Structure formats: C-alpha cells, structure tokens
Amino acid sequence: LKVPVVVVNLPVGITINTYPKEVELTYKVALSQFNQVQEASFVVECDYQLSAENNLSYLIPKLNKQSDLVNHVKIAPNRIDFVIEK
C-alpha cells in the first residue's frame, strides 16, 4: 500500500519538496480483513526538526497511525530526501 508522507515541525517560511512523496507499507493482515485496510488507515510523518537537530540531509519516516487490523508494518524506503525551496 502506498501512503503519502507528511512533514511536521517545519520552521515558518520554509517549504520543502520531498522525494519520494509516498512510502510503501508492507504489513500483515487477516485475509478476511484485507479489503478493510485503506490508505486512510495509516499516517506516516517525518519530523524536520529531528533531522535538523541531528544534521541529517534526509528525513526519517515514522508510522504515527495504523489500523488495528494490521501488524508488523514495514516502511520502504526508510529515508526521504528533501530539497529546501525558497
């Protein structure tokens, strides 16, 4: 399932462009509940402030919301590149 990435904690006046804009989630779910899991069941966020504080040139996606029907969720890729736009 592909889910869009949301960037949080951006300083005021800064706009960034991320690549990729979506991450792919792999998860386990019961076959009978497979059709109940949708993109809206997940929220993937990247914390810009965390990357800035650690002098990272990339963002780290974290799963902040997931469906109760799934477990063992993996995010790919595990780093998101970005460009600061002026």
Side-chain angles (χ1 to χ4, degrees), residues 50-69:
L50 177 71
S51 293
E53 288 173 355
N54 292 303
N55 293 324
L56 300 176
S57 61
Y58 56 88
L59 301 169
I60 301 170
K62 301 243 186 224
L63 188 62
N64 280 5
K65 175 188 165 193
Q66 75 179 46
S67 171
D68 293 335
L69 304 175

Side-chain angles (χ1 to χ4, degrees), residues 33-48:
Q33 298 173 325
F34 179 77
N35 290 330
Q36 296 176 25
V37 179
Q38 301 173 1
E39 179 184 312
S41 303
F42 301 94
V43 174
V44 176
E45 292 182 345
C46 295
D47 188 345
Y48 178 83

Side-chain angles (χ1 to χ4, degrees), residues 10-52:
L10 269 176
V12 176
I14 290 186
T15 305
I16 66 170
N17 193 7
T18 60
Y19 181 79
K21 295 196 180 299
E22 295 179 323
V23 292
E24 188 170 311
L25 300 180
T26 306
Y27 53 87
K28 290 186 180 182
V29 62
L31 189 56
S32 61
Q33 298 173 325
F34 179 77
N35 290 330
Q36 296 176 25
V37 179
Q38 301 173 1
E39 179 184 312
S41 303
F42 301 94
V43 174
V44 176
E45 292 182 345
C46 295
D47 188 345
Y48 178 83
Q49 185 176 356
L50 177 71
S51 293

